[in-house]
Amino acid sequence: MSVNAFELSPSEKSELAPNGVLKVAVAVGPAASAVWCVRDEISGQARGVTIILARQIAQRTGLPLELIEFSSSGDIVSNADDGSWTLSFVPVDDQRRKVLGVGPSYYLGVSTYLARKDAFKTVQDVDQEGVRVAGVAGTATLRSAERTLRNTDIVGYGSLDEAMAKFKGGELDAIALGKESIISMLSGLDGCHAVQGHFHEAGTAIVVPPANVHALDAAIRMMDEMKADGTIRAAYDQNEMSHADVAP
């Protein structure tokens, strides 16, 4: 008899829904990706890959769902110990593995720079003295850009909206960001592109607060099942990411 990956033990349920509600943290901003959600222009509701996954988990476990919105994955991680959320999906690096319970990656992505086409062609071109570069504070992408930039500095803003406002206003030359996120915004940014190459690559994974070892067992089991049964693939396809591969 097959095992139901979404059937929770009492200890798993108590950590995933300590008050009877599954609280899933999602990042909401102006770009869409395997982790970022965007607002629907008509309804104003957030939509994206992680929201589809959250709803699938809630439906298949039978738990009520509450979506907890944050401005970035960095904000999600910085609130991992305060009880505001019990499950999430974020890009993972070595630093985040120290402060989160990390399950399987479902997406493998790279980060590069959003820039004007007439300014920079490659990531190496961005690394010049006097170039004004920014990223989103607390993100793995920002930390990686800080490590790799040798000739210029990078500033972290509290949200992507804030960084984009500076970029559009001519106060920034480039923004360090996941390539999928950049691609999702290009239709509204004339004369801009994702510069060639990348300075960072990482998996985006299902995660839980660090002390929730039983919830992590459930998260691992559920993510493996969603990758195998086509749920991840369908979430990509519904969010204009048909070109993206599901992580093995």
Side-chain angles (χ1 to χ4, degrees):
M1 184 171 63
S2 62
V3 177
N4 179 1
F6 293 84
E7 185 175 348
L8 303 177
S9 69
S11 56
E12 291 170 346
K13 187 173 182 179
S14 67
E15 290 182 358
L16 284 171
N19 296 312
V21 178
L22 177 67
K23 294 186 176 183
V24 179
V26 295
V28 181
S33 70
V35 64
W36 287 95
C37 298
V38 296
R39 295 222 177 270
D40 186 270
E41 294 181 359
I42 298 175
S43 69
Q45 297 297 307
R47 55 178 175 80
V49 170
T50 57
I51 289 178
I52 290 176
L53 300 185
R55 288 172 175 160
Q56 279 288 316
I57 291 172
Q59 178 182 340
R60 292 158 80 169
T61 58
L63 292 170
L65 173 65
E66 182 179 355
L67 295 172
I68 312 298
E69 296 185 6
F70 290 90
S71 62
S72 70
S73 63
D75 280 345
I76 292 173
V77 176
S78 66
N79 287 278
D81 286 320
D82 69 0
S84 62
W85 59 269
T86 57
L87 188 78
S88 191
F89 311 88
V90 300
V92 175
D93 60 4
D94 289 342
Q95 183 169 330
R96 287 185 174 176
R97 289 185 182 277
K98 297 176 183 178
V99 296
L100 296 170
V102 179
S105 294
Y106 61 95
Y107 176 75
L108 300 177
V110 298
S111 295
T112 182
Y113 296 102
L114 167 67
R116 295 165 185 89
K117 291 179 180 178
D118 58 0
F120 313 109
K121 182 177 180 181
T122 70
V123 292
Q124 290 78 19
D125 296 335
V126 174
D127 192 13
Q128 300 178 46
E129 186 175 347
V131 175
R132 300 165 300 175
V133 187
V136 180
T139 61
T141 291
L142 178 68
R143 288 192 292 274
S144 187
E146 288 173 333
R147 289 193 300 269
T148 55
L149 288 170
R150 297 288 181 264
N151 302 303
T152 191
D153 296 321
I154 184 168
V155 177
Y157 287 96
S159 70
L160 182 55
D161 285 308
E162 185 179 1
M164 287 301 300
K166 299 286 186 181
F167 180 77
K168 291 177 181 178
E171 298 177 57
L172 293 173
D173 301 308
I175 297 179
L177 199 60
K179 189 172 183 178
E180 288 286 347
S181 298
I182 295 172
I183 291 171
S184 77
M185 296 190 294
L186 287 180
S187 62
L189 295 169
D190 290 341
C192 296
H193 71 151
V195 303
Q196 294 178 14
H198 66 274
F199 59 84
H200 173 78
E201 56 184 12
T204 297
I206 190 170
V207 298
V208 299
N212 293 4
V213 294
H214 301 294
L216 180 58
D217 288 340
I220 292 170
R221 197 171 63 241
M222 293 187 295
M223 180 52 71
D224 285 342
E225 178 65 17
M226 289 192 294
K227 289 201 287 186
D229 68 12
T231 299
I232 305 297
R233 175 76 269 155
Y236 288 173
D237 293 345
Q238 291 174 45
N239 285 275
E240 299 180 357
M241 289 180 56
S242 297
H243 57 284
D245 293 327
V246 177

